[in-house]
Amino acid sequence: MQVERLAVLSDNYIFLLHDRTSNTAAVVDPAEATPVLKRLRELNAELVAILNTHHHSDHVGGNRQLLEHFPQATVYGGAEDQGRIPGQQVFLSEGDRVKFSDRTGEVFFIPGHTRAHIAYYFPPQTPEETGELFCGDTLFAGGCGRLFEGTPQQMVTSLTKLRSLPDQTRVWCAHEYTLNNLKFALTVDENNSDLKNRFDQVKVARSRNEATIPSTIGMEKLTNPFMRWDDPDLQLRVKSQDPVQTFARLRGMKDQF
C-alpha cells in the first residue's frame, strides 16, 4: 500500500492509497474530486473506497463527484456521522476494521473536534513497514483540532488513544498547519529543545514550500503540547495539575493565538 499526499484548497491534504498489484486505490478525506481524478488517471487506477474521518465539507466535498466516476466505490465514515457524509454506505465504530490492499485498518472513535470523528490506523505487517494513521483534524503536526462539537475530556481521551500507538507510526493529518502550531507551542514550552529544533526544520521546509506531513507519533509526543497535558512544565505554565484542565487551558490559549 503506497500513500500519496495531494495538496488542495489553501492548506488541505488528501491522501491517496494505491495498491500497485491490483491497481486499485482508496482516498482519505477527499476535499475535492478533481485532483483525485487526475491522479487516478495518471495511475490508471480504479477507486474502490472513500474513507472519511468526519463530516466537514473540506473532508467530504469530493465524495459525490468521485462516485459519479466510480459508482462501485464504497464510502466509509463514522456511525455517528450518519446523514452528514455524502454517499456514506458503511457506518464505523470503535474497533471496526477496514481492509485495503494487503493492509487492514483499525477504526478509532476519537470525538472532540466533532462528535463523530474517527481515525483509520493501518498497523505494520512486517518490520520494514510503518504504521499509517489517518487522523483527520483530531491530531495535527504540532497541534490539534478545535473543539467544535466535543469537550476537552473527549479530546484528551481521543488523543490518549493516538498517543499509545508506536512512536514510528506516521501521522497523516489533513492540514498544513505545522509552522503556526509550532509558533504557538514555543510560547508555552520555550525550554523544549526538541521543539526548538523541530521549529527550525519546519521553518526551512515551509520557506521551500515543502510539506511537513507526515509527522510521527514519537515526534508529537516530544514537541506537541496537546499530547503533553501531563508534562509538569506545561501544567505549571497553565497553573493546573489536572490533565484535562491543562489541555483545556492550552486549547483556549491556542484559540486566541
Side-chain angles (χ1 to χ4, degrees):
M1 183 180 82
Q2 304 295 316
V3 182
E4 296 191 15
R5 180 186 57 238
L6 304 177
V8 300
L9 303 178
S10 61
D11 52 34
N12 275 72
Y13 289 123
I14 299 170
F15 303 112
L16 190 72
L17 317 183
H18 183 218
D19 181 348
R20 293 178 177 175
T21 302
S22 65
N23 212 21
T24 55
V27 65
V28 181
D29 284 349
E32 298 180 306
T34 300
V36 178
L37 293 170
K38 178 177 182 291
R39 187 58 182 145
L40 291 171
R41 285 193 297 269
E42 292 169 350
L43 295 169
N44 193 30
E46 175 189 3
L47 184 69
V48 297
I50 298 172
L51 308 176
N52 294 123
T53 61
H54 64 295
H55 75 286
H56 285 164
S57 61
D58 62 334
H59 294 257
V60 303
N63 281 21
R64 293 211 181 279
Q65 189 177 347
L66 289 173
L67 289 172
E68 291 174 5
H69 290 265
F70 297 95
Q72 74 286 355
T74 303
V75 180
Y76 298 82
E80 296 194 31
D81 256 334
Q82 186 165 359
R84 304 203 296 181
I85 293 179
Q88 184 176 0
Q89 301 155 282
V90 180
F91 304 90
L92 299 166
S93 300
E94 176 83 17
D96 284 343
R97 299 287 190 268
V98 173
K99 184 170 176 57
F100 174 74
S101 181
D102 59 343
R103 306 281 286 270
T104 299
E106 303 173 7
V107 174
F108 296 134
F109 179 53
I110 50 169
H113 178 63
T114 69
R115 62 177 170 80
H117 205 300
I118 62 172
Y120 303 87
Y121 169 60
F122 291 84
Q125 294 180 311
T126 69
E128 294 75 30
E129 291 179 345
T130 58
E132 314 289 0
L133 173 67
F134 300 94
C135 52
D137 287 357
T138 295
L139 172 63
F140 292 132
C144 73
R146 287 178 180 266
L147 277 61
F148 289 123
E149 297 180 351
T151 66
Q153 178 64 75
Q154 285 179 315
M155 196 62 143
V156 168
T157 300
S158 296
L159 291 172
T160 297
K161 294 179 186 179
L162 305 186
R163 193 170 71 165
S164 69
L165 294 172
D167 284 355
Q168 64 271 27
T169 302
R170 294 198 294 183
V171 177
W172 300 93
C173 53
H175 289 275
E176 184 56 72
Y177 291 163
T178 314
L179 183 59
N180 192 60
N181 285 340
L182 297 182
K183 286 179 181 178
F184 167 75
L186 284 169
T187 69
V188 295
D189 201 13
E190 65 272 15
N191 296 320
N192 185 332
S193 59
D194 293 309
L195 173 57
K196 292 177 183 177
N197 291 336
R198 186 184 189 188
F199 176 75
D200 290 340
Q201 294 167 5
V202 166
K203 187 164 59 173
V204 171
R206 293 308 296 154
S207 72
R208 298 172 178 169
N209 201 33
E210 296 172 356
T212 65
I213 308 302
S215 179
T216 65
I217 290 294
M219 179 58 73
E220 297 312 309
K221 287 162 63 175
L222 288 172
T223 62
N224 187 334
F226 299 106
M227 294 281 267
R228 302 175 59 243
W229 53 82
D230 47 7
D231 179 84
D233 290 338
L234 284 172
Q235 291 185 340
L236 182 64
R237 185 60 179 252
V238 301
K239 298 181 174 58
S240 176
Q241 294 184 323
D242 178 76
V244 174
Q245 189 176 64
T246 297
F247 172 87
R249 290 181 177 178
L250 287 169
R251 185 63 253 183
M253 294 165 71
K254 178 63 166 62
D255 290 344
Q256 302 301 317
F257 182 69

